[in-house]
Structure formats: structure tokens, C-alpha cells
């Protein structure tokens, strides 16, 4: 039998919930996210959306429900942010469909919700790293899906932009009521923003729970294989982990 990449993992994502998948490098986090996004075939088991296996969803119907942003967003040469957002409406009208009034309204709503209205006419390629990441998040919002799957959305960002992007994602989970799943290396950022943490070391789901439950020295050592200590943040009390 060939070695497994990802072992059995049984969990549910609900609307309005922000879930972080954490684990060491090579632990299967991105693989799990791609399986949820229908980007990889399953060798065993099932991934279900609204109770129906993904294999029984048509591509367009699935695209109306779930959106996936990889670690490296695709190029957007020559596109304004407003035009990028219009691409997010593609699943609703298809290649030959017209861009309708309802599509323009969704683009405007996404710009307003995310505070990106001042940048609407800017070229995507001229934006800073944090602004560009926000632009692609806004495109997903314009798509008006029910579930966002984000792979390392704050990679290569400075701390200020990390907080900015994760604050935006947190609002998207609460205000429009989306289910959001994020792969993240930084367990402290996960604890600060998420509702639930899923721990996935060595391709197996070993634990899941609230940040308070997961941010314990024994749990963190099992996840990362190194002795950890935890202390409350001096300002807001969120648990903060550090290597012993």
C-alpha cells in the first residue's frame, strides 16, 4: 500500500464560522484545503457540501458555493481592481453571459464591505502585497459564495498587513455569514482571529477545538514537535505561544 498523504479527517464547517488549519510544514494542510476545494481527487472517503458529495456537484453549481484562493494568486496584468472583481462574477453568468445590473451591484457591495472603494480603478499590479491580497479577497466576496477556502493568505506580508487581512476575513465570516477555512502557519494569529483550530501534524487530524483549548503546551508540542509555553496577551488576553 502506498504511503498516505492525508489520513482520515472528520469535521464540519458551518456558515459564519472561521476555522484555521495549523500544523508543521509538509503536514498535509494544503492537501486538505485542495480536497475541500475539489482541486484534488479523493482516494478514500467523501467530502460533502450541504450533505452532497463533491463528485455530484457540477462545476458551475460548485463555483457558486465555494471559492478557493491558493498561496500564489494568479497574475492580473493590466486589470483594474473593479475588472478583477467582475471576473469573480463569472460563475453566475458564464463565458457568454452578459454582465448584468445584479453583477455590478455585487461588485459595488464587495468594494464597500471591504473598504476597497478608493482603490477600485487602480491596476492590481501596482498595489502593495497587502493591498493585492485584499483585492483577490474582494474578488471572492464579489462572487457571493457561501464558503471561502484560503491557503496562507498572509504569507510574505508584514505584521500590519497580516492583521489587516485577517481582520477583513474575520468580518467576512461574521457579516455576510460565510464559512471560512484558512491554512496558516502562525498559530498565534490563528488563536487571535479564529473560532476553531484544526491541528494536522503528519497528515493526521489529531485535535480540534477553540483557541483556548488548543493553545496549551501539551497540544502545541504534539502539533509542532517542540516544547512550547503559553501566556495571555497583555492587552486582550488571547493566548500567545512561544518556543520554550
Amino acid at each position: 500500500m502506498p504511503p498516505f498523504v492525508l489520513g482520515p479527517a472528520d469535521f464540519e464547517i458551518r456558515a459564519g464560522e472561521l476555522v484555521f488549519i495549523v500544523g508543521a510544514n509538509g503536514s498535509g494542510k494544503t492537501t486538505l484545503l485542495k480536497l475541500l476545494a475539489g482541486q484534488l481527487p479523493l482516494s478514500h472517503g467523501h467530502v460533502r457540501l450541504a450533505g452532497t458529495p463533491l463528485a455530484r456537484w457540477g462545476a458551475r453549481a460548485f463555483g457558486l458555493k465555494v471559492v478557493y484562493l491558493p498561496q500564489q494568486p494568479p497574475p492580473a496584468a493590466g486589470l483594474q481592481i473593479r475588472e478583477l472583481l467582475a471576473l469573480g462574477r463569472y460563475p453566475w453568468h458564464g463565458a457568454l453571459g452578459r454582465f448584468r445590473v445584479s453583477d455590478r451591484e455585487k461588485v459595488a457591495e464587495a468594494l464597500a464591505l471591504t473598504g476597497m472603494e478608493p482603490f477600485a480603478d487602480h491596476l492590481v499590479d501596482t498595489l502593495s502585497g497587502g493591498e493585492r491580497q485584499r483585492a483577490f479577497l474582494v474578488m471572492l466576496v464579489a462572487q457571493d459564495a457561501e464558503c471561502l477556502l484560503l491557503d496562507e493568505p498572509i504569507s510574505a506580508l508584514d505584521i500590519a498587513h497580516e492583521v489587516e487581512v485577517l481582520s477583513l476575513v474575520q468580518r467576512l465570516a461574521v457579516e455576510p455569514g460565510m464559512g471560512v477555512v484558512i491554512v496558516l502557519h502562525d498559530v498565534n494569529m490563528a488563536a487571535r482571529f479564529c473560532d476553531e483550530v484544526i491541528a494536522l501534524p503528519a497528515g493526521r487530524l489529531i485535535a480540534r477545538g477553540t483557541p483556548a483549548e488548543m493553545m496549551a503546551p501539551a497540544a502545541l508540542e504534539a502539533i509542532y514537535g517542540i516544547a512550547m509555553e503559553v501566556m495571555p496577551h497583555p492587552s486582550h488576553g488571547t493566548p500567545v505561544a512561544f518556543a520554550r
Side-chain angles (χ1 to χ4, degrees):
M1 178 181 294
F4 69 83
V5 175
L6 185 67
D10 186 6
F11 60 92
E12 179 181 0
I13 309 298
R14 294 172 290 274
E17 189 172 54
L18 182 54
V19 176
F20 281 72
I21 302 172
V22 301
N25 290 339
S27 60
K29 302 185 300 296
T30 293
T31 297
L32 175 57
L33 200 69
K34 287 183 175 180
L35 289 171
L36 296 178
Q39 301 286 311
L40 291 175
L42 286 164
S43 58
H44 299 284
H46 297 282
V47 177
R48 291 183 170 89
L49 173 64
T52 301
L54 296 196
R56 291 171 54 188
W57 283 85
R60 182 170 181 271
F62 184 75
L64 295 176
K65 296 285 188 180
V66 178
V67 288
Y68 165 67
L69 186 64
Q71 289 186 32
Q72 297 297 327
L79 285 180
Q80 296 176 331
I81 289 182
R82 194 186 306 276
E83 294 169 331
L84 178 68
L85 268 59
L87 294 178
R89 299 299 300 165
Y90 174 84
W92 292 91
H93 53 68
L96 302 178
R98 292 184 176 181
F99 193 73
R100 300 159 298 186
V101 172
S102 59
D103 296 314
R104 284 193 289 272
E105 290 174 346
K106 287 297 180 182
V107 167
E109 288 175 11
L111 287 169
L113 177 65
T114 57
M116 290 290 282
E117 290 167 303
F119 301 93
D121 297 321
H122 290 208
L123 291 174
V124 175
D125 287 350
T126 66
L127 302 176
S128 68
E131 290 166 346
R132 191 172 189 274
Q133 198 74 333
R134 283 180 64 191
F136 276 93
L137 285 172
V138 179
M139 182 187 72
L140 303 188
V141 175
Q143 189 165 328
D144 200 27
E146 297 177 6
C147 184
L148 302 184
L149 306 175
L150 310 175
D151 194 356
E152 291 286 350
I154 61 172
S155 61
L157 299 185
D158 58 48
I159 293 176
H161 284 108
E162 287 180 359
V163 172
E164 180 183 6
V165 167
L166 291 180
S167 296
L168 169 59
V169 173
Q170 188 179 52
R171 289 210 331 268
L172 296 179
V174 174
E175 293 176 15
M178 295 179 177
V180 183
V181 184
I182 300 180
V183 165
L184 205 65
H185 280 293
D186 191 333
V187 70
N188 289 320
M189 283 293 187
R192 177 171 176 177
F193 287 98
C194 75
D195 299 304
E196 185 174 32
V197 179
I198 291 174
L200 197 72
R204 292 190 182 278
L205 192 158
I206 64 164
R208 58 180 298 191
T210 66
E213 293 168 336
M214 299 295 288
M215 293 289 281
L220 292 170
E221 184 171 356
I223 296 168
Y224 294 105
I226 186 173
M228 305 282 284
E229 294 289 347
V230 179
M231 63 177 290
H233 191 283
S235 297
H236 45 71
T238 301
V240 176
F242 54 93
R244 187 181 301 172

